[in-house]
Amino acid sequence: MSDAALDLDPNSLAARLSPAARPDDPKAAAARVAALAADPALAPLLAAAPAVEVLLAAVADGSPFLWQLAAAAPERLARLLEAPPEATVERLMTAAHGATAAPDEATAMRVLRQARQEMALAVALADIGGAWEVPAVTGALSGFADAALQGALGFVLAEAARGGPFRPQNPADPAAGSGVVVIAMGKAGAGELNYSSDIDLMVFYDPGVAPLAPGIEPAPFFVRATQRLVKLLQERTADGYVFRTDLRLRPDPASTAVAISREAALSYYESVGQNWERAAMLKARPAAGDLALGEALLADLAPFVWRKYLDFGAIADVHAMKRQIHVHRGHGAIAVEGHNVKLGRGGIREIEFFVQTQQLVAGGRNPALRVRGTEAALVRLHDAGWIDAKARDELTEAYRLLRTVEHRLQMVADEQTHTLPADPAALDRFAKFLGFAGRDAFAAVLTGHMERVQGHYARLFEDAPPLAAAGGSLVFTGEEDDPETLGTLSRMGFAEPKMVSALVRGWHHGHIPATRSARARELLTELLPALLDAVGRTAAPDQALRILDRVLARLPAGIEFFSLLRSNPGFLGLLADALGTAPRLGEMVAKRPHVLDALLEPAFFARVPDRAELAARLAAALAEARGYEDLLDRARIFGQEQAVLVGFRVLAGQIGADRAGFAFADLAEAAVDALYRAALAELERAHGRVPGARAAVVALGKLGGREITAASDLDLILIYDHPDEAVLSDGPRPLAPSQYFARLTQRLIAALSAPTAEGRLYEVDMRLRPSGRSGPLATRLAAFEAYQAGEAWTWEHMALTRARPIAGDPAMQAEVAAIVAAVLRRPREPAAVARDVVEMRERLGSEKGEDQPWDLKYAKGGLVDLEFIAQYLELAHAHAHPAILHTGTAAVLQAARAEGLIGEGDWELLGEATRLQHDLTQVLRLCVDGRFEPAEAGAGLRAMLARAGHVPDFATLEALLRDTQAEVRAAFGRLVGGS
């Protein structure tokens, strides 16, 4: 060892070091290096190569993660320094690829993770030590990602071959001709992976090529294989993880399985593919599996990605994406402290968009522009005359600096971050880790590059449209607008006073049936000032008046309606709120004005009908149907009218979130039960019955938890069973049981969600069924039980905590409920459950964002945190505390307190937080389409929200919400984990 260290290979990493990084605290760093240098494996090397000590001092001070890797295994550190880094990369790629031959999963995971640890240290040393520039760093990281994917997928396929369902052409290389390919996207596809990056993947398979055993269905097989692949790569063990994986760039990720057939992918891109997906596909590259299949698939997609003619329309779409990043993530100006070097102004994303948009515009006519790498594309764009040499050189230089900064940020703690320290002292320390004298020197260089990037980017998009900004006398006689009236309407809150004036003049002129009588017009004249004042106070006065115009247009006469409004000021305000503050409610009222009759009944605000009463009323309405289509229309009329009435109760403050959730759930359950019976009867007329068969409809999600709102989808699954000897239904057109119950499910979905002349009743989501969209629409009881017991992921069991049978055969409902309870009561390791829950929460935070307090579902401390706490408590403790099992969040938390699983303080906090945010959600789902923006909300909506929060004003509500969410997030950390 000593002799080898004294006679260094000139190509070794140690011999090529020229580190610029310096420690912020040299004395402390020197002490740590001295302790490590005493190890016999390192002492000769440090003597022979003084630059090693400089490098280690920078690492000791700048990166806790790297120092831990270095100090944990001095012999490994010496091995990395004594070898050429290129040889090290090749060795570690070979090791990762070798996971294919591992005898078991634990061994494969250990091989991959240990190789990744060594790779992380080797690449970082070469980068910080100045031996490699950015292309070598990103190339090594990307190459290792390919090798890890190949090794992991190879192991999954080899294991399947040993088990029988997969029959590889070459057992030594099971991926060859396997019919499944992993496509690397984003930076992984371009060979530009960053230091602590997710890898964006898509998995496609060709059932006609895949060598599967007879009887093996390709879709479930490849979905399970993909899930195993993800587990091998991203599950954390004692050896860490390999790569976090992201499969969300696949077609329609909310609705599709994690592995998609080639035919389905081609159909999607050819029919509904978006410009942003074209941009994403620029970097797509087959990385593992059947590479020939991948190349053929990308060749088939080339016409979608590369348009035959110059495509300047792509610039607007891609620029819109970039502007949305700035708007929603707050990256509005170039900064240093706290600046996001990826998404911020002048950052990596602007360089990538600059390149990709011009590739999309011109790549169809010029194949030379069809390259994946950013730097290579800049060269090609210059060579083709699309950019000048200055743009090429400045953007390349800026790209390398920004990628270096990004890598160094991620090396500190192996975190996927792109944000510079916000604290000046921390930024100063980081600047030294980068090799600068300090914060000011670094800031000068960084801002210079980012300003140049922004300049080039702005010139490319200089024609892009700006983002849309947010933001007396009442005489209506004659044919012309009265100027003073227009001014009055503006002061009352109307943005389009001329529109308002024209509508009201039309009413006065008797243009609608409601105002054709003289008495109706007299009442309208008396009512108008109060009516316009009430409407003007709503969140959207102009919209409210348009809806009111449609309400009046549908009334056969107006005397009773105007008399009602004139004599009931409270009702006038409630109606105005519905029209101008709750657009969904207003549209329903506009479609069926007679629903307002129910509001006049003395008992309306006294009680809310329960499910039994709703079911009886609905049955009576459906009994008068003249056929199946008429029955569907009547169900829609009944459901929409009852939903309006629940909404009015919420707006009036008569019921809170818990009762509103139950009321909406009772209505939905009554509808599902009635339409399930109707759909089954229709099916039986055509196909008879499957002898001895039974089925149950199970609610999950918000409906299962009885926390449904006016805008909620219905999460449903259908589970059936039948005697094995029942192979066909007994009707005129017999069906096999699986086909029979799939048809029943399709009929139920259509009965609930298909648009008819009376609209649609509910959107239905069946994706929580076993295997998601790739699984059958209806699931047999034994298959459901087996899947939940052996194949379901933790997140699926989290979803199962809300499972509640609501329709179908009563005995079958009881059996399903028993199976669900047994699955949830299964003993689990709380720490393992906690890890999965925290990982799911972090993934949701990354995907959906969590920094908007009024995004009540996904905000830090919002409803997802509360639901995940409850679901964690159920999965971790139901075995010993079965009383904790409930489908509603509040009920779970209350049971957890009773069982001693959470303290009184946590119960009070979490119970109140659940009530508050559910109350606010009920109001917002009635009143707002899309995201709620407090600055744009009208006074009426703010007051309504304050009332729902039981506080005096909106400012107090915002403070309460902010404090509550912070406390919930802290409780999540205490009870579950995570930061």
Side-chain angles (χ1 to χ4, degrees), residues 146 149 182-186 188-190 200-202 283-288:
D146 284 1
L149 282 168
V182 180
I183 303 291
M185 305 289 286
D200 294 301
L201 306 175
M202 297 195 295
K283 297 185 177 184
R285 178 177 58 83

Side-chain angles (χ1 to χ4, degrees), residues 14 52 107 191 333 417 426 448 464 694 708 794 802:
V52 171
T107 303
T417 181
R694 302 167 300 146
I708 191 171
T794 298
R802 300 188 142 206

Side-chain angles (χ1 to χ4, degrees), residues 99-116:
T100 295
D104 53 53
E105 182 182 89
T107 303
M109 294 176 78
R110 185 168 57 253
V111 166
L112 290 168
R113 281 152 182 76
Q114 290 178 352
R116 191 266 178 182

Side-chain angles (χ1 to χ4, degrees), residues 45-285:
L45 182 61
L46 285 164
V52 171
E53 185 171 352
V54 178
L55 171 62
L56 292 179
V59 170
D61 184 76
S63 172
F65 166 69
L66 292 174
W67 184 253
Q68 182 182 16
L69 288 180
E75 290 188 0
R76 178 178 65 186
L77 176 61
R79 181 171 68 245
L80 296 177
L81 289 165
E82 291 175 3
E86 296 78 10
T88 295
V89 170
E90 288 295 328
R91 173 174 61 81
L92 295 174
M93 288 171 58
T94 300
H97 200 292
T100 295
D104 53 53
E105 182 182 89
T107 303
M109 294 176 78
R110 185 168 57 253
V111 166
L112 290 168
R113 281 152 182 76
Q114 290 178 352
R116 191 266 178 182
Q117 280 191 9
E118 194 165 350
M119 188 74 181
L121 183 57
V123 169
L125 294 175
D127 184 358
I128 301 169
W132 275 355
E133 294 189 0
V134 167
V137 173
T138 57
L141 293 168
S142 303
F144 179 76
D146 284 1
L149 282 168
Q150 291 158 4
L153 181 62
F155 172 79
V156 171
L157 295 177
E159 186 181 56
R162 291 192 291 272
F166 184 71
R167 297 178 176 179
Q169 297 176 3
N170 178 6
D173 184 12
S178 62
V180 61
V181 61
V182 180
I183 303 291
M185 305 289 286
K187 288 184 168 62
E192 298 171 340
L193 209 60
N194 60 48
Y195 187 76
S196 184
S197 178
D198 289 359
I199 49 175
D200 294 301
L201 306 175
M202 297 195 295
V203 179
F204 300 109
Y205 62 90
D206 187 337
V209 173
L212 299 177
I216 300 299
E217 288 293 327
F221 175 83
F222 286 116
V223 166
R224 287 193 293 270
T226 303
Q227 292 171 339
R228 292 291 309 284
L229 172 70
V230 170
K231 177 184 178 183
L232 284 167
L233 292 174
Q234 76 175 20
E235 184 173 281
R236 288 185 180 270
T237 71
D239 295 308
Y241 70 104
V242 190
F243 288 100
R244 295 176 297 269
T245 59
D246 193 332
L247 297 164
R248 291 171 297 171
L249 288 181
R250 69 185 187 274
D252 193 11
S255 304
T256 56
V258 291
I260 301 172
S261 72
R262 175 182 180 174
E263 181 180 358
L266 291 172
S267 174
Y268 171 85
Y269 288 118
E270 289 169 358
S271 59
V272 296
Q274 310 280 314
N275 265 335
W276 73 264
E277 290 174 302
R278 293 177 56 213
M281 292 296 290
L282 294 179
K283 297 185 177 184
R285 178 177 58 83

Side-chain angles (χ1 to χ4, degrees), residues 647-678:
F648 270 106
R649 290 182 172 99
V650 173
L651 289 187
Q654 183 221 355
I655 58 175
D658 54 343
R659 293 184 64 200
F662 274 68
F664 280 122
D666 283 340
L667 175 59
E669 290 172 40
V672 170
D673 182 65
L675 291 178
Y676 168 81
R677 295 169 188 270

Side-chain angles (χ1 to χ4, degrees), residues 301 432 825:
L301 290 175
K432 292 172 183 175
R825 291 174 184 170

